[in-house]
């Protein structure tokens, strides 16, 4: 048998070496990124904010963007109000909100959802955002709401992904809701939100954990401007006194 030319031997040796390197890298990659195992890992805070002020500045940058504000108040205005009104009519049919409810929309920007609530008959509605937009939206930080305990019957938000401290975001909702009050969140579970997001949510489990003073009412799929899931909580009426 004729010996193989050296060039072929070299080729075979390097092929074997690179294949084994490839497979060892693959197995490293798998062990370096285990799938989420506990409920907490379904909620991940995005890194990169050195201070609370730098986070607020970044949020303001989107909210104050003149081009976006123009779109929100012109091209988007009627279309979005219509979609929000349909969501709120559905919640009315389910008796989760009524004309008499005192309602808050968190992170409302220019207040399309507030306008929608008022149009379906929930006249005592207001929005809150870092930048006010009178008369629909007052100034406030959802990490530290400017409202007394037990103020609202209903709170709505589609900006959970912007919360740098999800426990405070939820804690403030539970503080300012009346006992029996309802919170409706629209969140994205199956797609990642925009570059201004401060967290990524992969299931409703972390929300159920964060709402310590509420019970889960329902979870359903929706089509809400890139957000795919509606999660509804009701604040429990009586404090459960431990050990009594
Ligand atoms: C805000 O956005 C503009 C344009 O995208 C950018 O030039 C500016 O540096 C940003 N400012 C902050 C505080 O992030
Ligand atoms: C609630 O308000 C809407 C709009 O003003 C009105 O059409 C509707 O009849 C009201 N519903 C009740 C139960 O009063």
């Amino acid at each position: 048998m004729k010996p193989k030319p050296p060039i072929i031997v070299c080729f075979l040796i390097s092929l074997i070496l690179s294949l084994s390197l490839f497979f060892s890298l693959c197995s490293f990659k798998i062990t370096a990124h285990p799938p989420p195992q506990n409920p907490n890992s379904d909620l991940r805070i995005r890194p990169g904010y050195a201070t609370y002020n730098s986070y607020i500045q970044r949020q303001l940058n989107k909210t104050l963007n003149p081009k976006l504000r123009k779109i929100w108040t012109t091209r988007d205005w009627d279309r979005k109000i219509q979609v929000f009104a349909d969501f709120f009519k559905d919640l009315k049919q389910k008796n989760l909100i009524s004309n008499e409810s005192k309602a808050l929309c968190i992170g409302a920007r220019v207040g399309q959802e507030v306008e929608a609530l008022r149009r379906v008959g929930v006249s005592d509605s207001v929005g809150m955002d870092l930048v006010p937009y009178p008369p629909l939206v007052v100034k406030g930080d959802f990490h530290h709401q400017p409202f007394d305990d037990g103020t609202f019957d209903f709170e709505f938000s589609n900006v959970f992904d912007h919360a740098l401290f999800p426990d405070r975001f939820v804690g403030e909702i539970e503080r300012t809701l009346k006992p029996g009050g309802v919170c409706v969140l629209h969140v994205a579970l199956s797609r990642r939100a925009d570059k201004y997001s401060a967290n990524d949510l992969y299931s409703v489990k972390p929300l159920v954990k964060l709402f310590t003073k509420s019970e889960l009412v329902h979870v359903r799929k929706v089509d809400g401007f890139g957000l795919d899931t509606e999660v509804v909580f009701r604040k429990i009426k009586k404090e459960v006194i431990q050990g009594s």
Side-chain angles (χ1 to χ4, degrees), residues 54 57-58 61-62 65 195-196:
S54 63
Q57 286 308 314
R58 186 158 172 81
N61 207 345
K62 179 174 184 185
N65 185 317
K195 61 181 177 153
Y196 296 94

Side-chain angles (χ1 to χ4, degrees), residues 19-31:
L19 277 178
S20 58
L21 182 67
F22 174 76
F23 284 116
S24 65
L25 280 177
C26 281
S27 63
F28 171 75
K29 215 176 148 201
I30 289 161
T31 50

